[in-house]
Amino acid sequence: MTEEKSLNFLEEIVEKDLREGKHQAILTRFPPEPNGYLHMGHAKSICLNFGLANKYGGKTNLRFDDTNPVTEETEYVESIKNDIRWLGFNWAEELYASDYFEKLYQFAVVLIKKGLAYVDDSTSDEIARQKGTPTTPGTNSPYRDRSVEENLQMFEDMRAGKYKDGEKVLRAKVDMAHPNMHMRDPLMYRIKHAHHHRTGDRWCIYPMYDFAHGQSDSIENITHSICTLEFIPHRALYDWFIEKLEIYPSRQYEFARLNMTYTVMSKRKLLQLVNEKHVSGWDDPRMPTLSGVRRRGYTPASIREFCERIGVAKRENLIDVGLLEFCVREDLNKVAQRRMVVFDPIKVVITNYPEGKEEMLQSENNPEDPNGGNREVPFSRELFIEEEDFMEVAPKKYFRLAPGQMVRLKSAYIIKCDEVIKDASGKITELHCSYIPESKSGSDTSGIHVKGTLHWVSAKHTVPVEVRLYDRLFKVEDLSEADGDFKDYLNPESLTVKTVYAEPALINATTNERYQFLRKGYFTIDPDSTKAKLVFNRTVTLRDTWTKSSK
RNA sequence: UGUCCGAUGGUGUAAUGGUAGCACAGAAGAUUUUGGUUCUUUUAGUCAGGGUUCGAAUCCUUGUCGGACAACCA
């Protein structure tokens, strides 16, 4: 008997619709506007839309909502497609709202003929005033009662380019006193003499979101049109257009968008960070964009798992970024190749190890994978260990190296610290240790048990590599609660770059391999990496219960 | 002082009138040649009042709190 996983509210709706025969199959869509890069919020929407279709044997269209030529670019179209594929989803059809411009125009003509739309000469200020406020009704435009013939002619003239930008708009004739602001004669078309990334200069009038989205859904026979909460008030209009046009009744459902701690999730703000150079670009590894987390080393599987775990509901939420980190660690732990890299070295001399002697030791590539194989790690008389792995005066539960104390060097020998060498200023320059020859990893007959195991590198075999260490982009957990400019809360220490000491096996690191630098975290090669200078991004640190409990 | 949406441990998310469960985070312990992994245990919750009912997180009611809506953006 397997435990039945409970359904989210959208799955319940879909199951009900299928059960009652409302639909034979479902068709969803993912509708990005090509004016920015996809972020984790989009990932949630993608997993939802594609996930629903996958689960219930339906399909998902990719439809670019490209109704505003002044902000949209082909560059974004390509990055969006790339990100969706990377996440692991395949769309049924690649479509564009701009494919429907002619149809949409004809829909508008239908509404004009029905007396449900009119051309308005009012300025945008005047229209704003006519709208009223949420608590006071609006007033009718003086142009509201133009004849059908006049409206038809003027709308045709709008299309023909006889007017300048902003001179006229087409509005739906609904109800200027409606309690829902979106129903107070909303704009359907505006004039923009602008070049469109797909239709070029064919059009100088462009439909507004409300007159494009629902109709596009309907044209494609989308069964479930899933969007975020802020579109709830638009639903009345969505349904109104479909009803008046008597076209396929797609239905809109809304869920709460994703918010994460210590970051922002709005294209506008992300664009600002890019434009004002607070980050290196849309794919800066600190960005919550898909291109950013990809470069940082997050795996598609870990992001899908994250989206699964955060659930779907209608209440506002703020997800702990720690959950994302948990998901990526869980995934990476299974696949990452283990390597040893010392960040802040302190020299260790094994005084009883013959000068000039070297030996190759075997070390497992991945203890989680029995078939992962081994690699060779050179061992010699002079080594580096991590500065923080030695303390001259050690507290009680300190398992690492200290005078007179023993530790295991991973995959090598147990050593004992005999002497601390300092320079004139009292700074520790090296540690003199002795090793236990019988304690060799894999053939230990010493019978000695030590609590601590350290990573290390052989001093003369060391390979310098650059690591880029990331911290949260912002200093505060909840940016929506922060007063003033969100950029005031940027964390100045979100990026640390350092050159560190790696074991030689890392020379052969490849882009498609993931690495765990023992006790340091999970790393992946950055695109800036070259043969001459390897560059690694830290995806996430390892879970650390020691520094936490020692505080 | 309008309309709409929402409110369950610290954070998310279930329970669809019948034992408030799961995950992350936190705490304690075991295992460990990564203070990682794994395993065990554990802390902590139904916004408030009233009502219906044998029985309410769930239904009704009145409040409270949070959010959305007045772009020729999507």
Side-chain angles (χ1 to χ4, degrees):
Chain A
M1 203 53 198
T2 55
E3 192 94 350
E4 190 112 346
K5 198 184 176 297
S6 54
L7 304 176
N8 66 47
F9 79 101
L10 291 169
E11 291 170 329
E12 279 180 9
I13 289 166
V14 169
E15 287 202 0
K16 181 168 182 285
D17 289 348
L18 256 16
R19 195 187 324 123
E20 294 177 351
K22 181 174 174 186
H23 306 295
Q24 298 312 306
I26 64 165
L27 217 209
T28 58
R29 103 269 91 113
F30 176 63
E33 186 191 7
N35 70 345
Y37 283 64
L38 261 27
H39 53 58
M40 290 297 296
H42 294 109
K44 178 178 181 180
S45 173
I46 291 168
C47 290
L48 230 186
N49 277 296
F50 285 87
L52 227 32
N54 284 158
K55 179 168 181 178
Y56 296 103
K59 288 178 175 165
T60 305
N61 286 343
L62 168 60
R63 183 175 70 237
F64 289 96
D65 234 328
D66 57 351
T67 57
N68 185 1
V70 303
T71 57
E72 294 154 5
E73 293 171 31
T74 308
E75 171 202 353
Y76 295 121
V77 170
E78 291 312 313
S79 81
I80 287 167
K81 286 161 64 177
N82 186 36
D83 286 346
I84 299 170
R85 277 192 224 102
W86 175 73
L87 250 193
F89 295 103
N90 299 303
W91 51 88
E93 291 189 73
E94 177 184 335
L95 302 162
Y96 295 79
S98 55
D99 294 339
Y100 311 134
F101 280 173
E102 183 59 41
K103 261 182 196 152
L104 261 13
Y105 179 87
Q106 295 305 332
F107 282 152
V109 168
V110 168
L111 291 183
I112 292 172
K113 286 180 176 164
K114 285 188 169 188
L116 294 172
Y118 62 97
V119 173
D120 195 337
D121 301 4
S122 305
T123 65
S124 62
D125 276 354
E126 285 164 345
I127 290 175
R129 251 174 279 128
Q130 290 161 18
K131 290 245 176 179
T133 73
T135 51
T136 57
T139 49
N140 287 172
S141 163
Y143 305 95
R144 199 173 196 260
D145 294 314
R146 287 217 246 239
S147 69
V148 168
E149 293 68 32
E150 191 180 7
N151 280 321
L152 244 19
Q153 186 57 52
M154 288 183 138
F155 187 48
E156 202 180 309
D157 290 346
M158 279 170 66
R159 176 181 185 166
K162 296 191 180 172
Y163 306 112
K164 294 195 284 290
D165 287 10
E167 211 176 320
K168 286 185 166 45
V169 292
L170 183 72
R171 295 176 74 179
K173 192 189 281 191
V174 189
D175 176 5
M176 288 306 288
H178 200 106
N180 180 342
M181 297 292 291
H182 293 273
M183 298 298 272
R184 322 245 260 227
D185 288 13
L187 268 62
M188 293 165 60
Y189 269 91
R190 76 287 216 195
I191 299 169
K192 275 181 194 283
H193 291 271
H195 188 84
H196 185 277
H197 75 116
R198 297 191 85 238
T199 60
D201 299 313
R202 270 204 298 275
W203 293 86
C204 62
I205 57 171
Y206 293 92
M208 299 289 291
Y209 166 84
D210 285 307
F211 194 66
H213 202 100
Q215 285 60 255
S216 300
D217 285 341
S218 181
I219 289 166
E220 292 172 25
N221 279 208
I222 299 296
T223 56
H224 302 264
S225 180
I226 299 164
C227 60
T228 47
L229 254 30
E230 64 269 29
F231 290 96
I232 288 176
H234 294 253
R235 191 174 61 229
L237 226 203
Y238 184 104
D239 291 339
W240 189 88
F241 281 130
I242 282 176
E243 182 200 325
K244 300 303 179 193
L245 255 12
E246 300 173 66
I247 53 180
Y248 178 82
S250 297
R251 291 291 170 232
Q252 174 183 303
Y253 302 92
E254 310 87 9
F255 70 96
R257 70 178 331 135
L258 168 68
N259 296 295
M260 285 202 295
T261 53
Y262 299 104
T263 194
V264 291
M265 204 74 84
S266 100
K267 272 193 279 187
R268 203 193 93 246
K269 288 178 179 165
L270 295 174
L271 178 63
Q272 236 181 98
L273 294 177
V274 173
N275 286 344
E276 296 171 18
K277 311 273 189 224
H278 294 106
V279 294
S280 64
W282 284 101
D283 68 343
D284 186 300
R286 292 166 294 181
M287 292 279 273
T289 50
L290 294 185
S291 47
V293 297
R294 173 168 61 233
R295 185 168 175 183
R296 172 93 167 239
Y298 278 81
T299 57
S302 68
I303 291 169
R304 280 186 254 117
E305 175 66 15
F306 172 73
C307 290
E308 190 64 39
R309 283 175 182 257
I310 59 177
V312 182
K314 298 189 75 160
R315 59 187 102 102
E316 307 275 344
N317 59 79
L318 178 63
I319 308 285
D320 188 342
V321 70
L323 182 61
L324 215 210
E325 296 179 342
F326 169 84
C327 291
V328 77
R329 284 189 189 110
E330 184 183 44
D331 190 27
L332 257 20
N333 178 50
K334 292 179 296 192
V335 300
Q337 297 285 302
R338 270 58 171 180
R339 296 292 183 263
M340 293 197 285
V341 180
V342 172
F343 283 25
D344 299 293
I346 177 168
K347 188 189 259 187
V348 168
V349 179
I350 312 291
T351 51
N352 60 339
Y353 195 84
E355 216 139 344
K357 180 179 174 183
E358 286 173 19
E359 61 183 308
M360 295 305 271
L361 303 172
Q362 298 294 309
S363 189
E364 66 217 333
N365 284 321
N366 184 352
E368 303 298 312
D369 177 8
N371 303 316
N374 293 322
R375 68 186 189 283
E376 293 196 315
V377 186
F379 185 86
S380 67
R381 193 167 191 269
E382 295 195 352
L383 314 170
F384 290 137
I385 64 165
E386 212 70 65
E387 208 172 55
E388 61 174 17
D389 286 340
F390 173 79
M391 276 185 102
E392 201 167 6
V393 186
K396 48 263 147 245
K397 296 262 258 181
Y398 190 76
F399 306 152
R400 305 178 189 182
L401 203 58
Q405 213 158 298
M406 289 196 279
V407 292
R408 153 82 56 190
L409 293 179
K410 174 72 183 173
S411 299
Y413 300 93
I414 291 173
I415 61 168
K416 180 180 173 191
C417 179
D418 303 315
E419 198 181 348
V420 181
I421 312 296
K422 297 178 185 176
D423 63 14
S425 67
K427 185 180 178 295
I428 298 173
T429 53
E430 54 184 61
L431 303 173
H432 284 190
C433 300
S434 48
Y435 84 115
I436 317 288
E438 308 78 54
S439 67
K440 185 171 177 175
S441 187
S443 54
D444 186 346
T445 56
S446 70
I448 301 172
H449 287 282
V450 293
K451 284 289 261 184
T453 300
L454 309 184
H455 63 279
W456 55 275
V457 290
S458 166
K460 83 164 82 147
H461 299 94
T462 251
V463 176
V465 302
E466 178 177 309
V467 289
R468 297 178 181 173
L469 312 175
Y470 304 102
D471 196 356
R472 21 201 62 135
L473 225 202
F474 291 91
K475 289 181 290 191
V476 296
E477 195 168 70
D478 187 354
L479 272 297
S480 72
E481 292 287 303
D483 297 322
D485 188 351
F486 76 102
K487 295 193 291 317
D488 294 344
Y489 299 92
L490 278 162
N491 176 8
E493 285 155 17
S494 58
L495 169 64
T496 307
V497 179
K498 53 195 308 172
T499 299
V500 298
Y501 304 79
E503 63 168 279
L506 212 56
I507 294 172
N508 303 315
T510 62
T511 324
N512 41 31
E513 200 67 71
R514 303 310 172 113
Y515 299 92
Q516 184 198 103
F517 294 176
L518 253 57
R519 310 205 293 144
K520 286 296 181 187
Y522 293 101
F523 289 78
T524 195
I525 288 203
D526 187 84
D528 288 347
S529 194
T530 62
K531 263 272 171 288
K533 185 175 121 189
L534 291 170
V535 179
F536 290 88
N537 291 319
R538 179 155 70 189
T539 308
V540 66
T541 61
L542 258 29
R543 207 165 142 255
D544 184 357
T545 49
W546 166 242
T547 49
K548 220 177 292 176
S549 65
S550 59
K551 268 174 198 160

